[in-house]
Amino acid sequence: MTQVQAQTLSLDRPTRRKAAIGLWAVFVTQFVSFLFIYARNIAMPGIIAEMDGMALFSWLIALPALSGSVSTLLFGKLSDIFGRRAILLVSIGLFLVGLGLAATVTTMTGFVAAAAFMSIGHFPIIPLCFTAIGDLFPPAERAKWTGLLNLPTGVAALIGPMLGGLVAESFLGWRWLYWGTIPLMLVASVVLVIGLPDTSQKTIPKIDVIGTAVMIIATTTLILGFSWLGTIERRGTGLILVAISVVAWIGFILIEKRAEAPILDPQVFQNRTFMTVAGTSVLSLFGTLGIMAYSPIFAQQVMNVSPSLNGSMLTPYSLLTAFLGIPAGFWLARTKRYKGPYILGYAVVTIAMVMMWRFTADTPIWLYVLATSIAGFGIGAIPTINTVVAQSAVPRRLLGVAVGAIYFFQMVGMAAAPAFIGLAQNSAPDLEGGLKLVFLIGAVCTLASLVLVFTIPELAMEKEQPG
């Protein structure tokens, strides 16, 4: 980097006072976003029961994941062009409209449609908040403040479920979780306008319309294809859609290599560090999904514990995953090394998944709590490390693309993982055997992640990448 470029970057950084205001803006936005997620998750069973919508439950997962994954990648690129503040406000605006739509629908079909629309705005908010940290602070300080961004997430995890249960069971009803989020998000918008600097480019490049269209086709066919692989009567259609997606992704990469302003810069695909982070993020989802979605089923239907007791059993895991990013950020900021924490994190998660693979109906509660807590200790730091490393691996002009792409790959993995896990589970003769296979798959995938991070290059985190 030349001296002129370094001086320009220094001038682009906000003053300490403005950075502090910007940090509060990001904290408030992150908190409200996660507060809604945790509160809504508790209310969701009642919403589905009220609308008799269990038959459409899979679509309530797949369609928001589809719309949210596409918008996350697209908005990440747009934020590099038009600035983080402008695109965050656009995301919040779409989110607010979606909240209003979801609060007024009376059918499950309408609710799924409203959730899919709402996710266009809601999903990009969190990665954009993480990316905004890169605008506010130089590389040497990003790790610390990225870790501290887990603080509002953790507070939301503590009070969100209780808030969701109280509102859903009160005379107000679940719809007020949606109505009540609107004024909170409006407050966040005002703080963002005041606190975040304008990072838009002075010269606006052409938008990659063709690449965006092909990316949408590739993502849609991939997510729907994988979603249908787990259903016997739709497996053939699912395979066709996956094949179409592969062709579309190849076409997308070729288009991006020639595009004037690619939606996903080829430099990201050619970056070994970034692609390692993306690959391990997708693989680790199999372990995370096993803990969050399948271990409660094992506890309640195999170990025969009550739902309320099972919730308490998972509390240590939830707290560790919510708060561990804070010390991880400080550790990265002090040591400027990330390979060691990566190796430790994935090694610990692998051990925990192997322990869960050995679970039986007679497994004591304390061992369940111990295994999931060990998993939380390993998983908790990884999102913070992923964000910091993704930002350290690319030049500043690609911060939005890099962080958005990491979340995009995770969402695609979240949509694809249930199909593979469902096939494995259904191949077992009973529920206990099927769930143990799920935990074994999680162990194998986290072990593969561990092997991958042994090969990741150790970049200088305190320096901006050229380009």
Side-chain angles (χ1 to χ4, degrees):
M1 181 184 298
T2 67
Q3 184 177 358
V4 173
Q5 287 174 315
Q7 288 174 348
T8 301
L9 286 173
S10 178
L11 289 173
D12 287 343
R13 300 287 179 195
T15 64
R16 282 288 174 181
R17 180 176 177 275
K18 289 184 177 179
I21 298 173
L23 187 66
W24 275 107
V26 173
F27 271 35
V28 171
T29 306
Q30 181 97 335
F31 171 74
V32 176
S33 183
F34 270 106
L35 184 68
F36 170 74
I37 292 172
Y38 285 114
R40 179 201 57 190
N41 288 347
I42 293 298
M44 191 58 70
I47 298 173
I48 295 171
E50 179 182 316
M51 297 184 180
D52 192 23
M54 196 61 204
L56 294 177
F57 181 63
S58 60
W59 289 104
L60 187 59
I61 297 174
L63 290 185
L66 171 60
S67 61
S69 61
V70 170
S71 65
T72 295
L73 188 58
L74 178 61
F75 285 16
K77 173 62 178 180
L78 293 177
S79 74
D80 285 333
I81 300 173
F82 298 103
R84 236 66 68 187
R85 182 176 66 187
I87 302 304
L88 262 170
L89 292 175
V90 170
S91 296
I92 290 173
L94 293 170
F95 180 37
L96 292 175
V97 174
L99 286 168
L101 291 173
T104 56
V105 297
T106 57
T107 66
M108 190 62 181
T109 302
F111 188 73
V112 170
F117 179 86
M118 182 175 67
S119 296
I120 296 173
H122 190 201
F123 276 44
I125 290 175
I126 294 168
L128 286 172
C129 284
F130 277 106
T131 309
I133 297 295
D135 296 327
L136 294 171
F137 300 99
E141 298 183 34
R142 284 177 190 159
K144 177 176 65 176
W145 295 110
T146 299
L148 280 171
L149 196 52
N150 287 271
L151 184 60
T153 304
V155 175
L158 286 175
I159 67 177
M162 179 180 64
L163 177 66
L166 289 174
V167 174
E169 293 177 1
S170 70
F171 71 95
L172 295 172
W174 64 266
R175 296 178 190 275
W176 278 94
L177 288 175
Y178 290 78
W179 290 125
T181 303
I182 291 176
L184 294 177
M185 215 69 208
L186 288 173
V187 171
S189 300
V190 173
V191 181
L192 282 173
V193 171
I194 297 171
L196 280 190
D198 180 12
T199 58
S200 60
Q201 296 182 14
K202 304 308 178 185
T203 302
I204 306 301
K206 294 180 180 179
I207 304 299
D208 182 18
V209 177
I210 297 177
T212 301
V214 175
M215 182 269 291
I216 291 173
I217 294 172
T219 306
T220 302
T221 51
L222 182 67
I223 291 179
L224 292 180
F226 276 123
S227 298
W228 288 347
L229 284 179
T231 306
I232 295 177
E233 57 271 19
R234 291 181 174 177
R235 193 164 296 165
T237 305
L239 288 172
I240 293 172
L241 289 175
V242 171
I244 293 173
S245 177
V246 171
V247 174
W249 277 115
I250 294 173
F252 172 71
I253 293 172
L254 294 176
I255 291 170
E256 296 304 274
K257 287 182 177 180
R258 296 174 173 84
E260 180 180 333
I263 194 70
L264 186 56
D265 198 296
Q267 185 174 340
V268 171
F269 282 119
Q270 297 164 6
N271 189 305
R272 182 182 165 195
T273 301
F274 175 86
M275 292 307 296
T276 303
V277 173
T280 56
S281 296
V282 173
L283 286 171
S284 65
L285 280 172
F286 285 84
T288 304
L289 193 64
I291 298 167
M292 292 300 296
Y294 290 89
S295 76
I297 299 174
F298 193 96
Q300 295 176 37
Q301 298 190 26
V302 178
M303 296 171 62
N304 292 318
V305 303
S306 66
S308 58
L309 176 58
N310 185 209
S312 300
M313 290 160 62
L314 276 174
T315 296
Y317 169 84
S318 300
L319 292 177
L320 284 168
T321 54
F323 285 109
L324 205 61
I326 298 175
F330 277 89
W331 173 266
L332 292 175
R334 186 174 69 86
T335 65
K336 307 295 188 296
R337 301 284 182 179
Y338 53 80
K339 193 168 184 176
Y342 257 143
I343 292 172
L344 176 62
Y346 283 117
V348 168
V349 179
T350 301
I351 292 171
M353 296 307 301
V354 171
M355 292 174 64
M356 295 175 68
W357 170 47
R358 306 307 300 165
F359 279 0
T360 67
D362 299 323
T363 295
I365 290 175
W366 68 264
L367 186 57
Y368 178 100
V369 174
L370 177 63
T372 54
S373 298
I374 291 174
F377 179 81
I379 292 173
I382 289 175
T384 296
I385 303 174
N386 283 346
T387 302
V388 173
V389 174
Q391 291 182 337
S392 300
V394 299
R396 188 183 174 194
R397 67 180 180 84
L398 294 178
L399 289 183
V401 169
V403 178
I406 289 293
Y407 279 82
F408 169 79
F409 287 128
Q410 288 177 348
M411 291 173 199
V412 172
M414 187 65 75
F420 291 104
I421 290 176
L423 288 173
Q425 183 188 353
N426 294 332
S427 68
D430 55 30
L431 179 62
E432 179 179 337
L435 293 173
K436 291 177 72 171
L437 278 177
V438 170
F439 301 145
L440 177 59
I441 290 173
V444 171
C445 289
T446 53
L447 178 61
S449 297
L450 176 60
V451 173
L452 277 176
V453 296
F454 268 104
T455 69
I456 194 170
E458 190 92 68
L459 299 175
M461 292 175 53
E462 67 275 12
K463 297 180 181 178
E464 295 276 10
Q465 294 297 316

